[in-house]
Amino acid sequence: MQVWSQVATLAKNALENDGAFLIFLQITYRDLEPICLVRNTEDIVWQGVTWTRFPFVIGASSEDGKTIPAMSLQISNCQGLIQAYLQKYNGFCDADVKIMVAYSKNLSNPNPEFELDYTVQSVTYDEQWVRFTLSASSELINRYPQDRYIANFCPFRCGDIRCGYTGNDTCVNTLNSCKVPSRFGGEPGMTTR
């Protein structure tokens, strides 16, 4: 859980406030300097970097429990600036996107009040908008650890080269149904507890 600074918490809970919560967007790609944008009417200097004012819209996150959560991001395509980067740098395939929120009256604090990290999954564009589909970083896509160890279960497909069986019968990937027990790929020594 991320804890907000005391200044931002007081501002968030105040009935009246002359500050604003700014949304910062940083796109990082291999050979390119990070693109630093802020949704504001003027450029902002924060974390020692000048963040360029730019219109963008962050969509709602979609989550169905079966696939990796995704989120949409639309950045204005005014003057074709972002589109030119897309065409030059492989469509920002697997670029890292960081979304941060900071309070305008507390920009001396280099730590964001809120931060989310994403990876670009797909990009489309037209004359008005560049539309990104963002998802969780790629570490969540790959299984870790790479292999699973299950008692009396063979991960080999019946009849493939690791299995070694060449007959017509099939097995159900258990030690009891294995046609070539000497090539069983499971862990028969594990207990089932």
Side-chain angles (χ1 to χ4, degrees), residues 34-156:
I35 298 171
C36 300
L37 308 175
V38 61
R39 191 166 73 182
N40 197 24
T41 56
E42 58 186 25
D43 293 350
I44 300 287
V45 176
W46 181 57
Q47 296 179 333
V49 175
T50 300
W51 298 76
T52 306
R53 63 180 177 203
F54 221 82
F56 59 85
V57 178
I58 299 172
S61 178
S62 65
E63 188 172 341
D64 61 4
K66 298 175 186 172
T67 59
I68 293 178
M71 186 169 113
S72 65
L73 169 68
Q74 295 183 46
I75 301 177
S76 175
N77 198 13
C78 60
Q79 300 177 352
L81 295 173
I82 302 297
Q83 179 181 336
Y85 282 123
L86 291 175
Q87 292 170 347
K88 185 174 181 180
Y89 294 101
N90 196 25
F92 283 156
C93 181
D94 294 330
D96 294 322
V97 176
K98 187 179 287 193
I99 299 171
M100 297 172 283
V101 175
Y103 183 54
S104 63
K105 300 289 185 181
N106 193 25
L107 292 177
S108 60
N109 180 7
N111 299 320
E113 303 299 337
F114 187 73
E115 179 178 338
L116 297 170
D117 294 317
Y118 292 97
T119 300
V120 174
Q121 294 300 312
S122 66
V123 180
T124 60
Y125 59 86
D126 57 26
E127 291 178 5
Q128 289 184 315
W129 295 101
V130 176
R131 292 174 182 83
F132 293 89
T133 300
L134 308 176
S135 72
S137 62
S138 60
E139 292 88 29
L140 298 178
I141 295 171
N142 300 323
R143 175 186 281 177
Y144 182 83
Q146 186 66 32
D147 296 316
R148 295 188 311 172
Y149 301 102
I150 303 172
N152 296 324
F153 176 80
C154 181
F156 305 150

